[in-house]
Amino acid sequence: MTAADEECIHGFEAGMCASCFPPPAPAAPAPVRRSPKPAVRSLRSPAAGATGKAAEVRAPNLPQRMFHVTHVSNLPLILESGRLLPPSQAEPALRLGSDLSLELRSSAPVPGDGGHDDDGVERTVADCVAFSLTPQATWWLEVQEGAAGPTWSAAARSAATTDFVVLGVDIAAVSNTVVITDGDAAAPATRLGVGPEGRARMLARAASTPEALQAAEALVPGEVSLATVALVAVANDRRRDEVRDLLKSAGVTAKVAVYPPWFVPKLDD
């Protein structure tokens, strides 16, 4: 037996021969269990319990004001009478719509809602004062771009858009008989929101997209008092001074504001 073997035997008996009999490898530590991280939810991801339906458009988000556009030459007659008249009664100095347009609107019925404010009179679109729910309505943009098409008058095509004024009326200030449409009120396919529920539903639909808001109309059967006009917008300072003097002479206290973007067509980017 060699000295090395003798040393190995003595080492084994002492439990120390790591060369011939290496000790077992130490056990690996148990993996640390971590709590799972909550999934990062994108703003596009639905919340838990979501139905997938769009959020309901509530009253504060609905259109609160409506707008009526008229030529400045029509203001003296409007101020003299103290009210806006529907096309079937008005004799404006400048009429935007053509004879065809008036005929179409005179044949499109506007039903009453049977409510307390409903006088029971059968009316057409031409028997209502027409408003838009935005000062940049589809029809007004058409006029700004040249009033092409058979529904516009020759006077509308030749008039400068800076010679018009926009009258703003709070919807809450008009009669509850106001009717909201989702497009040209004289078009056969246009839907009308009549009565409180129908009106709220159509206002919500109009508020859903810019295009829907631009297409909608608000029709007030009969006449609209100038006392309900909260704002008169004009294109420039010269027009503001002229309109302010006219309103002052008629005792109308509505605010007159200069806002050029409402009177020039929006150019595509």
Side-chain angles (χ1 to χ4, degrees), residues 50-162:
T51 63
K53 296 181 179 179
E56 179 183 356
V57 181
R58 299 186 181 276
N61 299 324
L62 298 180
Q64 303 295 315
R65 182 168 285 181
M66 55 190 193
F67 304 89
H68 180 83
V69 180
T70 191
H71 195 266
V72 68
S73 64
N74 296 333
L75 267 186
L77 286 175
I78 293 173
L79 294 172
E80 182 180 349
S81 64
R83 58 195 184 274
L84 295 171
L85 297 176
S88 60
Q89 300 178 30
E91 296 181 0
L94 188 151
R95 191 186 292 274
L96 279 172
S98 65
D99 291 342
L100 173 61
S101 176
L102 183 58
E103 180 181 348
L104 292 173
R105 294 176 79 85
S106 297
S107 60
V110 176
D113 63 1
H116 181 268
D117 293 325
D118 185 2
D119 57 12
V121 176
E122 294 183 1
R123 289 187 172 90
T124 67
V125 174
D127 297 321
C128 303
V129 180
F131 292 82
S132 301
L133 297 181
T134 169
Q136 294 177 316
T138 301
W139 73 265
W140 176 226
L141 295 177
E142 289 180 8
V143 173
Q144 293 176 11
E145 293 169 354
T151 59
W152 301 113
S153 67
R157 284 188 283 274
S158 62
T161 55
T162 54

